Amino acid sequence: MPISGFPEWLPPQRMIEQRVLDRVRTTFELYGFAPLETRSVEPLDTLLSKGETSKEVYLLHRLQGGTDEEDQLGLHFDLTVPFARFVVENAGKLQFPFRRYQIQKVWRGERPQEGRYREFLQADIDVVNRDNLPFHYDTEMPLVIGDALGGLPIPRVRIQINNRKVCEGFYRGLGLSDTAQVLRVVDKLDKIGPDKVTEQLVATAGATRSQADACVELASISAEDASFADAVRKLGITDPLLDEGLDELVRVVEAAREHAPGLLVADLKIARGLDYYTGTVYETLLTGYERFGSICSGGRYDNLASSGNDRFPGVGISIGVSRMLGILFGRQALEVSRKVPTCVLVALPQEEQRAACDRTAAALRRRGIATEVAPAAAKFGKQIQYADRRGIPYVWFPGEPDTVKDIRSGEQVEADATTWQPPAADLHPAVTGA
């Protein structure tokens, strides 16, 4: 019986997912990020201290457990919080700045819907340093993601970027003290619209109507170049934190325009709901699928990890792999060229010849060609049909000499299992956009 929010992909979908992960992993490593996997559980007080997550955390305890220590563990809802804990615990063993990638399941007890799950896979990169983290890492994050996702047969991605300092400095300049609440309300702009955001700012953040209108006006500013900074300054609000945030945001936008034109847009309504972000924030949309929201997000956190007098600021970004693929699977927007990894089916003339057929398959496998032997001896026509149903492109016929047949074209040639090679395009299942 299916359980809502816990996806189980069919093998063709799982093969697509693995190809996506291969691309993401390879790209992360090309940029020098090292692999890491952390435990699935964290102390509950750690999880609850990082934002509005109390309704999302899954508790972990034994069926016959007591109500003490084990009841205080929860499954992690993202990979940033456990990574911060890992850095603090292992700081003496790490070389800083520490660059890591992490591809792992996370759990959130939210209402399942298309592209949103309770158990899902994330692929994160972060850079953490001791005491201070140079700002140029903020400019690197979107470029890595643009490279990783740009090499996949998916719709074009568009990374929206903002800076919390811009928002908080602007709100301070307006005279609003509860900047965290203003951010939380403005973060709902796409979901509830400007009128309701204005109402909630007045009701929950102590804003006057004119202050709320100014917050909404700031959130409406968007540009692909540094012109957004002029638009903000024209609103007439001044604050040192606002100036600092604008300067940082300009640096990220200009770096992206140089290295990846069209990838990035400054969008001042982006806030991110988690409380640990302190500067740059990112959200990523799939072209044509904008209504589903962000499939990749993150930002700068200067205060997430600390131990005594040591502070470990960082910046990171996370691809919601299950979210992105779930949306695309739901629209049949991705296809794989065959249902199995198998490239060659070795036909079995008679059961007595299975050992010889196994030796042929082994010779092909030694050279990296995915091969299986037919499950039973049957007429060759039936064995070809078996291969065709599974999308296996080649059938190998034992004989004197052996031959191999491309069952798509009908071409059949003599072949030696120690030398024959399929075209590169057939060696592995190919993933394409539908």
Side-chain angles (χ1 to χ4, degrees), residues 16 19 40 67 69 105 108 121 131 160 218-219 229-230 236 239 257 287 302 304 309-310 318 380 393 406 413-414:
I16 292 172
R19 294 295 179 270
S40 298
T67 58
E69 181 179 351
K105 291 284 185 72
R108 290 183 190 173
L121 191 67
D131 298 328
Q160 300 171 309
L218 176 74
D230 294 330
D239 183 88
R257 279 175 61 81
T287 302
D302 285 331
L304 186 66
N309 293 326
D310 290 328
S318 171
F380 283 162
D406 182 337
V413 297
E414 293 183 8

Side-chain angles (χ1 to χ4, degrees), residues 40 42 53 63 114 117 152 158 165 198 304 323 432:
S40 298
E42 296 294 334
T53 58
L63 184 62
E114 188 172 12
Y117 305 108
L152 294 170
R158 182 85 150 166
K165 296 175 184 177
T198 300
L304 186 66
R323 176 169 174 73
T432 57

Side-chain angles (χ1 to χ4, degrees), residues 116-164:
R116 267 191 196 281
Y117 305 108
R118 291 170 171 167
E119 178 185 66
F120 53 98
L121 191 67
Q122 287 191 179
D124 285 27
I125 49 172
D126 287 83
V127 181
V128 167
N129 202 26
R130 193 188 294 271
D131 298 328
N132 293 290
L133 181 71
F135 186 77
H136 65 79
Y137 291 110
D138 290 48
T139 70
E140 181 184 23
M141 290 291 132
L143 299 179
V144 179
I145 296 302
D147 196 347
L149 298 183
L152 294 170
I154 63 173
R156 187 171 69 93
V157 298
R158 182 85 150 166
I159 300 177
Q160 300 171 309
I161 187 171
N162 194 8
N163 193 302
R164 283 278 187 98

Side-chain angles (χ1 to χ4, degrees), residues 18-28 147-148 150-152:
Q18 288 179 319
R19 294 295 179 270
V20 168
L21 294 178
D22 288 345
R23 169 68 189 186
V24 168
R25 183 184 301 108
T26 299
T27 305
F28 288 171
D147 196 347
L152 294 170

Side-chain angles (χ1 to χ4, degrees), residues 49-364:
S49 68
K50 303 305 178 183
E52 295 186 331
T53 58
S54 59
K55 296 180 180 179
E56 297 183 358
V57 174
Y58 279 105
L59 289 177
L60 185 78
H61 62 86
R62 292 180 295 122
L63 184 62
Q64 301 298 326
T67 58
D68 51 6
E69 181 179 351
E70 287 162 297
D71 284 337
Q72 304 308 305
L73 296 178
L75 294 172
H76 57 222
F77 60 84
D78 75 353
L79 300 179
T80 305
V81 173
F83 173 58
R85 187 263 313 157
F86 178 89
V87 168
V88 170
E89 291 181 359
N90 294 278
K93 305 172 187 175
L94 303 177
Q95 296 296 317
F96 292 99
F98 179 46
R99 301 163 68 86
R100 85 85 172 85
Y101 75 87
Q102 192 168 342
I103 301 174
Q104 207 171 332
K105 291 284 185 72
V106 301
W107 294 267
R108 290 183 190 173
E110 58 184 0
R111 182 172 65 86
Q113 52 189 295
E114 188 172 12
R116 267 191 196 281
Y117 305 108
R118 291 170 171 167
E119 178 185 66
F120 53 98
L121 191 67
Q122 287 191 179
D124 285 27
I125 49 172
D126 287 83
V127 181
V128 167
N129 202 26
R130 193 188 294 271
D131 298 328
N132 293 290
L133 181 71
F135 186 77
H136 65 79
Y137 291 110
D138 290 48
T139 70
E140 181 184 23
M141 290 291 132
L143 299 179
V144 179
I145 296 302
D147 196 347
L149 298 183
L152 294 170
I154 63 173
R156 187 171 69 93
V157 298
R158 182 85 150 166
I159 300 177
Q160 300 171 309
I161 187 171
N162 194 8
N163 193 302
R164 283 278 187 98
K165 296 175 184 177
V166 172
C167 300
E168 293 184 31
F170 187 85
Y171 304 152
R172 287 183 193 177
L174 279 173
L176 295 171
S177 58
D178 192 355
T179 58
Q181 176 60 16
V182 178
L183 277 169
R184 282 192 285 270
V185 175
V186 171
D187 196 38
K188 304 175 185 177
L189 190 58
D190 282 340
K191 295 179 182 178
I192 65 177
D195 291 341
K196 289 189 176 179
V197 165
T198 300
E199 292 173 10
Q200 288 193 15
L201 288 173
V202 172
T204 68
T208 65
R209 180 74 190 203
S210 62
Q211 288 173 325
D213 287 342
C215 293
V216 171
E217 191 173 1
L218 176 74
S220 70
I221 294 172
S222 176
E224 294 183 16
D225 57 23
S227 64
F228 69 87
D230 294 330
V232 173
R233 293 187 177 103
K234 285 181 181 177
L235 297 179
I237 304 300
T238 58
D239 183 88
L241 189 64
L242 171 61
D243 293 337
E244 183 180 334
L246 286 174
D247 290 342
E248 291 181 353
L249 196 50
V250 166
R251 286 180 61 185
V252 181
V253 169
E254 289 184 340
R257 279 175 61 81
E258 177 183 351
H259 297 287
L263 174 66
L264 211 69
V265 58
D267 193 324
L268 302 196
K269 70 176 179 294
I270 303 303
R272 303 294 302 134
L274 294 171
D275 289 346
Y276 53 65
Y277 294 117
T278 56
T280 310
V281 286
Y282 318 95
E283 290 196 349
T284 307
L285 302 178
L286 279 176
T287 302
Y289 296 82
E290 290 86 355
R291 68 185 181 89
F292 292 101
S294 179
I295 53 97
C296 174
S297 56
R300 160 75 69 138
Y301 45 91
D302 285 331
N303 305 310
L304 186 66
S306 61
S307 176
N309 293 326
D310 290 328
R311 192 170 63 99
F312 302 95
V315 62
I317 194 164
S318 171
I319 303 171
V321 178
S322 300
R323 176 169 174 73
M324 177 180 73
L325 290 179
I327 293 168
L328 295 174
F329 288 159
R331 297 298 181 275
Q332 289 79 50
L334 288 173
E335 294 179 345
V336 65
S337 58
R338 54 186 186 258
K339 298 178 181 179
V340 293
T342 312
C343 178
V344 177
L345 176 75
V346 178
L348 183 65
Q350 297 176 347
E351 191 60 40
E352 291 76 15
Q353 292 179 253
R354 182 172 292 279
C357 291
D358 285 342
R359 286 192 292 272
T360 298
L364 291 167

